[in-house]
Amino acid sequence: MTKIYKKKGICIWCLKSGKETSFLTKPHTIPKKLNAHNIGFDICDECNKYFGYDNNEERIKYSIDKITKEILNVHKFLLSNKKNSNSWRNFKSQFFNYYHSENMLKFRIYYRKNIGFEEAFTKKFKRGIYNIFLQEYHRNTENGLDKQFDALRAFVRYGIGNFPLYYLKNRKGIRITEDLDMPMKFSFNQHVQNIIQQFGFYHMTLKGLNFFISVNEKAFQNIDNYLLPECKYLMGSGFVFDQLITIKRISQIDFTTQDWD
Ligand SMILES: [Zn+2]
Protein backbone atom coordinates (compact mmCIF):
# COMPACT_ATOMS: atom_id res chain seq x y z
CA MET A 1 0.00 0.00 0.00
CA THR A 2 1.21 3.50 -0.78
CA LYS A 3 2.00 5.54 2.26
CA ILE A 4 0.07 8.78 2.48
CA TYR A 5 1.61 11.64 4.41
CA LYS A 6 -1.37 13.29 5.99
CA LYS A 7 -3.05 13.58 9.36
CA LYS A 8 -5.46 16.51 9.14
CA GLY A 9 -5.79 15.96 5.41
CA ILE A 10 -5.26 19.64 4.54
CA CYS A 11 -1.96 21.04 3.32
CA ILE A 12 -0.45 23.47 5.85
CA TRP A 13 0.84 25.59 2.94
CA CYS A 14 -1.84 25.85 0.25
CA LEU A 15 -4.76 24.66 2.43
CA LYS A 16 -5.91 22.26 -0.27
CA SER A 17 -7.47 18.99 0.79
CA GLY A 18 -6.95 15.48 -0.51
CA LYS A 19 -9.68 16.08 -3.10
CA GLU A 20 -7.65 18.80 -4.80
CA THR A 21 -4.10 17.63 -4.19
CA SER A 22 -2.07 14.57 -3.14
CA PHE A 23 0.16 13.66 -0.20
CA LEU A 24 2.33 10.91 -1.61
CA THR A 25 5.86 12.38 -1.35
CA LYS A 26 7.81 12.03 1.87
CA PRO A 27 8.04 15.59 3.22
CA HIS A 28 11.27 16.36 5.06
CA THR A 29 10.49 19.12 7.55
CA ILE A 30 14.14 20.27 7.45
CA PRO A 31 16.09 19.98 4.17
CA LYS A 32 17.48 16.45 3.97
CA LYS A 33 20.98 17.65 3.10
CA LEU A 34 21.24 19.20 6.55
CA ASN A 35 21.47 15.71 7.97
CA ALA A 36 17.89 15.89 9.14
CA HIS A 37 15.52 12.98 9.02
CA ASN A 38 12.26 14.28 10.40
CA ILE A 39 9.34 13.40 8.19
CA GLY A 40 6.30 15.63 8.38
CA PHE A 41 2.73 15.36 7.15
CA ASP A 42 0.03 17.56 5.64
CA ILE A 43 2.51 19.03 3.16
CA CYS A 44 1.11 18.30 -0.29
CA ASP A 45 3.17 17.08 -3.25
CA GLU A 46 2.79 20.34 -5.13
CA CYS A 47 4.05 22.46 -2.21
CA ASN A 48 6.77 19.98 -1.37
CA LYS A 49 7.96 20.21 -4.95
CA TYR A 50 7.82 24.01 -4.95
CA PHE A 51 10.19 24.21 -1.97
CA GLY A 52 12.62 21.64 -3.34
CA TYR A 53 13.04 22.57 -7.01
CA ASP A 54 14.56 25.54 -8.80
CA ASN A 55 12.10 27.73 -10.63
CA ASN A 56 13.30 29.69 -13.65
CA GLU A 57 10.37 32.07 -13.51
CA GLU A 58 11.43 33.60 -10.22
CA ARG A 59 13.93 36.45 -9.72
CA ILE A 60 16.07 34.05 -7.70
CA LYS A 61 15.60 30.74 -9.41
CA TYR A 62 17.21 28.64 -6.68
CA SER A 63 14.81 26.71 -4.52
CA ILE A 64 14.12 27.66 -0.92
CA ASP A 65 15.57 24.35 0.28
CA LYS A 66 18.77 24.84 -1.71
CA ILE A 67 19.37 28.34 -0.38
CA THR A 68 18.62 27.36 3.21
CA LYS A 69 20.85 24.34 3.18
CA GLU A 70 23.64 26.27 1.45
CA ILE A 71 23.72 28.97 4.12
CA LEU A 72 23.59 26.53 6.99
CA ASN A 73 26.11 24.18 5.45
CA VAL A 74 28.71 26.84 4.67
CA HIS A 75 28.28 27.99 8.22
CA LYS A 76 28.83 24.49 9.45
CA PHE A 77 31.90 24.21 7.22
CA LEU A 78 33.36 27.24 8.87
CA LEU A 79 32.88 25.73 12.29
CA SER A 80 34.23 22.31 11.40
CA ASN A 81 37.18 23.78 9.54
CA LYS A 82 38.75 24.31 12.95
CA LYS A 83 39.06 20.58 13.39
CA ASN A 84 40.96 19.96 10.19
CA SER A 85 43.27 22.60 8.83
CA ASN A 86 43.15 21.17 5.32
CA SER A 87 39.40 20.84 4.95
CA TRP A 88 39.10 24.33 3.45
CA ARG A 89 40.85 23.13 0.30
CA ASN A 90 37.73 21.21 -0.57
CA PHE A 91 35.40 24.10 0.04
CA LYS A 92 32.81 24.55 -2.68
CA SER A 93 30.00 27.02 -2.72
CA GLN A 94 28.09 28.73 -5.42
CA PHE A 95 27.36 31.80 -3.34
CA PHE A 96 30.33 32.20 -1.01
CA ASN A 97 34.07 32.64 -1.24
CA TYR A 98 36.26 31.45 1.58
CA TYR A 99 39.23 33.46 2.85
CA HIS A 100 41.35 31.05 4.78
CA SER A 101 43.77 33.51 6.35
CA GLU A 102 40.86 35.48 7.80
CA ASN A 103 38.74 32.44 8.64
CA MET A 104 35.93 34.15 6.84
CA LEU A 105 33.26 33.49 4.28
CA LYS A 106 31.99 36.29 2.09
CA PHE A 107 28.96 36.41 -0.13
CA ARG A 108 30.34 36.51 -3.67
CA ILE A 109 30.97 39.94 -5.05
CA TYR A 110 29.34 38.87 -8.32
CA TYR A 111 26.05 38.47 -6.46
CA ARG A 112 26.57 41.49 -4.25
CA LYS A 113 27.01 43.68 -7.34
CA ASN A 114 23.98 42.23 -9.05
CA ILE A 115 21.41 44.85 -8.04
CA GLY A 116 18.73 43.50 -5.79
CA PHE A 117 20.09 39.97 -5.90
CA GLU A 118 21.26 39.80 -2.32
CA GLU A 119 17.99 41.17 -0.90
CA ALA A 120 15.93 38.76 -2.98
CA PHE A 121 18.24 35.88 -2.06
CA THR A 122 17.94 36.82 1.62
CA LYS A 123 14.16 36.90 1.38
CA LYS A 124 14.22 33.31 0.13
CA PHE A 125 16.51 32.32 2.96
CA LYS A 126 14.08 33.88 5.44
CA ARG A 127 11.21 31.97 3.84
CA GLY A 128 13.32 28.83 4.33
CA ILE A 129 13.70 29.50 8.04
CA TYR A 130 9.96 30.13 8.47
CA ASN A 131 9.28 27.04 6.37
CA ILE A 132 11.25 24.85 8.78
CA PHE A 133 9.43 26.47 11.69
CA LEU A 134 5.89 25.72 10.53
CA GLN A 135 6.67 22.24 9.26
CA GLU A 136 8.34 21.30 12.55
CA TYR A 137 5.63 23.05 14.57
CA HIS A 138 2.96 21.05 12.78
CA ARG A 139 4.92 17.80 13.10
CA ASN A 140 5.15 18.34 16.86
CA THR A 141 1.77 19.86 17.68
CA GLU A 142 -0.49 19.13 14.67
CA ASN A 143 -1.70 22.73 14.98
CA GLY A 144 0.04 24.21 11.96
CA LEU A 145 -3.28 24.90 10.23
CA ASP A 146 -4.21 27.45 12.88
CA LYS A 147 -5.38 30.82 11.49
CA GLN A 148 -2.63 32.66 13.39
CA PHE A 149 -0.20 31.34 10.71
CA ASP A 150 -2.11 32.50 7.62
CA ALA A 151 0.18 35.44 6.89
CA LEU A 152 3.24 33.27 7.49
CA ARG A 153 1.85 30.74 5.00
CA ALA A 154 1.43 33.41 2.31
CA PHE A 155 4.97 34.65 2.91
CA VAL A 156 6.65 31.23 2.79
CA ARG A 157 4.62 29.63 0.01
CA TYR A 158 3.97 32.62 -2.27
CA GLY A 159 6.50 35.25 -1.18
CA ILE A 160 3.72 37.65 -0.15
CA GLY A 161 4.76 40.27 2.40
CA ASN A 162 8.03 40.18 4.27
CA PHE A 163 8.63 38.69 7.69
CA PRO A 164 11.57 39.77 9.83
CA LEU A 165 14.52 37.61 10.76
CA TYR A 166 16.22 38.73 13.96
CA TYR A 167 19.76 37.59 14.46
CA LEU A 168 21.66 37.57 17.71
CA LYS A 169 25.24 38.19 16.80
CA ASN A 170 28.14 36.59 18.65
CA ARG A 171 30.66 39.05 19.99
CA LYS A 172 33.72 37.32 18.57
CA GLY A 173 32.48 35.59 15.46
CA ILE A 174 30.90 32.20 15.37
CA ARG A 175 31.06 29.90 18.30
CA ILE A 176 30.28 26.21 18.35
CA THR A 177 27.46 25.60 20.79
CA GLU A 178 26.25 22.21 19.67
CA ASP A 179 27.43 18.97 18.17
CA LEU A 180 27.29 19.89 14.50
CA ASP A 181 26.84 16.35 13.29
CA MET A 182 23.76 15.78 15.39
CA PRO A 183 20.41 16.20 13.62
CA MET A 184 18.76 19.53 14.34
CA LYS A 185 16.13 19.58 17.03
CA PHE A 186 13.51 22.15 17.88
CA SER A 187 11.55 22.41 21.06
CA PHE A 188 7.81 23.00 21.14
CA ASN A 189 7.20 22.33 24.80
CA GLN A 190 4.36 24.04 26.65
CA HIS A 191 6.49 27.01 27.65
CA VAL A 192 7.55 27.62 24.04
CA GLN A 193 3.97 27.27 22.83
CA ASN A 194 2.82 29.80 25.43
CA ILE A 195 5.38 32.30 24.16
CA ILE A 196 4.15 31.80 20.60
CA GLN A 197 0.51 32.31 21.67
CA GLN A 198 1.20 35.25 23.92
CA PHE A 199 4.04 37.12 22.23
CA GLY A 200 4.33 35.67 18.72
CA PHE A 201 8.04 34.88 18.82
CA TYR A 202 10.05 31.73 18.33
CA HIS A 203 13.77 31.33 19.11
CA MET A 204 15.68 29.05 16.73
CA THR A 205 19.25 27.85 17.06
CA LEU A 206 20.59 26.51 13.78
CA LYS A 207 24.15 25.25 13.54
CA GLY A 208 25.45 27.90 15.91
CA LEU A 209 23.27 30.70 14.51
CA ASN A 210 20.74 32.29 16.81
CA PHE A 211 17.54 33.60 15.25
CA PHE A 212 14.26 34.98 16.49
CA ILE A 213 11.30 34.87 14.14
CA SER A 214 7.91 36.52 14.51
CA VAL A 215 5.43 33.83 13.65
CA ASN A 216 2.09 35.58 14.11
CA GLU A 217 0.74 39.14 14.37
CA LYS A 218 1.22 39.25 18.16
CA ALA A 219 4.94 39.66 17.52
CA PHE A 220 4.53 43.14 16.06
CA GLN A 221 3.13 44.46 19.34
CA ASN A 222 5.67 42.63 21.47
CA ILE A 223 9.04 43.75 20.18
CA ASP A 224 9.50 46.14 23.10
CA ASN A 225 8.06 44.01 25.85
CA TYR A 226 9.27 40.59 24.78
CA LEU A 227 11.97 40.47 22.08
CA LEU A 228 14.21 43.27 23.30
CA PRO A 229 14.15 42.31 27.01
CA GLU A 230 14.66 38.63 26.11
CA CYS A 231 17.66 39.46 23.94
CA LYS A 232 19.02 41.82 26.53
CA TYR A 233 18.81 38.96 29.01
CA LEU A 234 20.58 36.57 26.61
CA MET A 235 23.26 39.14 25.92
CA GLY A 236 23.81 39.55 29.65
CA SER A 237 27.26 40.91 30.21
CA GLY A 238 27.93 40.77 26.49
CA PHE A 239 30.43 37.94 26.79
CA VAL A 240 28.81 35.81 24.09
CA PHE A 241 26.25 37.92 22.25
CA ASP A 242 26.56 41.60 21.73
CA GLN A 243 24.05 42.74 19.13
CA LEU A 244 20.56 42.11 17.83
CA ILE A 245 20.28 42.66 14.07
CA THR A 246 17.30 42.56 11.73
CA ILE A 247 18.62 40.72 8.69
CA LYS A 248 18.08 42.51 5.38
CA ARG A 249 21.09 41.11 3.56
CA ILE A 250 22.73 37.75 4.10
CA SER A 251 26.16 39.36 4.49
CA GLN A 252 24.97 40.86 7.79
CA ILE A 253 25.36 37.40 9.27
CA ASP A 254 28.82 37.05 10.67
CA PHE A 255 30.62 34.27 8.81
CA THR A 256 33.88 34.59 10.69
CA THR A 257 35.34 32.18 13.20
CA GLN A 258 37.65 33.06 16.00
CA ASP A 259 39.13 31.20 18.87
CA TRP A 260 36.88 31.20 21.87
CA ASP A 261 39.14 29.07 24.04
ZN1 LIG B 1 0.00 22.35 -0.66
Side-chain angles (χ1 to χ4, degrees), residues 50 95 118 151 168 173 181 258:
Y50 172 74
F95 305 111
E118 195 181 351
L168 206 47
D181 295 319
Q258 286 184 40

Side-chain angles (χ1 to χ4, degrees), residues 106-162:
K106 278 186 188 162
F107 201 59
R108 290 209 165 158
I109 195 87
Y110 166 77
Y111 293 116
R112 290 213 305 262
K113 285 196 165 162
N114 186 337
I115 294 171
F117 185 96
E118 195 181 351
E119 284 82 357
F121 180 92
T122 306
K123 184 174 174 184
K124 270 204 159 169
F125 173 65
K126 295 199 289 181
R127 289 165 69 194
I129 298 295
Y130 279 87
N131 171 283
I132 294 175
F133 163 79
L134 192 63
Q135 296 188 162
E136 273 290 295
Y137 180 87
H138 189 64
R139 190 180 70 81
N140 282 274
T141 66
E142 298 188 19
N143 289 326
L145 286 160
D146 199 299
K147 271 198 141 343
Q148 65 174 317
F149 301 122
D150 282 354
L152 186 157
R153 257 185 271 287
F155 172 61
V156 174
R157 179 64 176 89
Y158 305 108
I160 297 169
N162 207 345

